[in-house]
Amino acid sequence: MSYRREHRASRSSLFDDYDSLEEGGLKASSSYSHDIDEHANDKAINSLQDRVVFLKRLTGDIHNEVESHNRMLDRTGNEMDASRGIMSGTMDRFKMVFEKRSSRKTCGLVACFVVSFILLYYSFRILMYFTYG
């Protein structure tokens, strides 16, 4: 029994600094509780401040990256427009060449080169046959 009394006495000495029960928990003495709360609040504020600074830096980096990509896309679009203009000019020139009457002469000239090439090919082939057997 003395053990239980000692245990109760030590337990009661542990809780001597607490004023009362509030909201299901024990409330510490006001000076000790106030110091703990201030310390916890300071820690939380510092942690939040670090997170806000990190997020601000991160959003700044994202903004810079987006601006960089937008500039690159604008340059690419301008270069594509310039290429499209050059290609359409080239196609217009091809159309003009093939629509002219001189294209008949060009086709005749190409046909003459093809026939000449075929004649030369067969003549060299026949020459090689008689030379090397």
Side-chain angles (χ1 to χ4, degrees), residues 38-85:
E38 285 295 320
H39 184 67
N41 285 341
D42 289 342
K43 274 183 150 180
I45 288 171
N46 289 337
S47 174
L48 285 174
Q49 186 178 10
D50 291 343
R51 289 178 185 175
V52 167
V53 168
F54 173 75
L55 287 174
K56 184 177 179 181
R57 227 178 304 136
L58 183 65
T59 54
D61 291 345
I62 290 171
H63 176 74
N64 291 340
E65 192 71 21
V66 167
E67 290 293 323
S68 170
H69 284 127
N70 282 338
R71 283 191 301 273
M72 184 173 38
L73 286 173
D74 287 342
R75 279 195 311 264
T76 304
N78 292 339
E79 289 171 2
M80 292 297 286
D81 289 341
S83 299
R84 188 176 299 126

Side-chain angles (χ1 to χ4, degrees), residues 2 8 10 26 41 52 60 65 73 82 91 101-102 107 116 118 121 125-126 132:
S2 68
R8 284 183 188 167
S10 65
L26 294 174
N41 285 341
V52 167
E65 192 71 21
L73 286 173
M91 292 303 293
R101 291 185 181 177
S102 65
C107 289
S116 300
I118 291 172
Y121 174 75
R125 192 167 179 191
I126 291 171
Y132 295 108

Side-chain angles (χ1 to χ4, degrees), residues 19-47:
D19 292 336
S20 63
L21 291 174
E22 268 189 16
E23 298 177 8
L26 294 174
K27 182 180 176 190
S29 67
S30 63
S31 66
Y32 181 71
S33 174
H34 187 265
D35 290 343
I36 290 175
D37 289 343
E38 285 295 320
H39 184 67
N41 285 341
D42 289 342
K43 274 183 150 180
I45 288 171
N46 289 337
S47 174

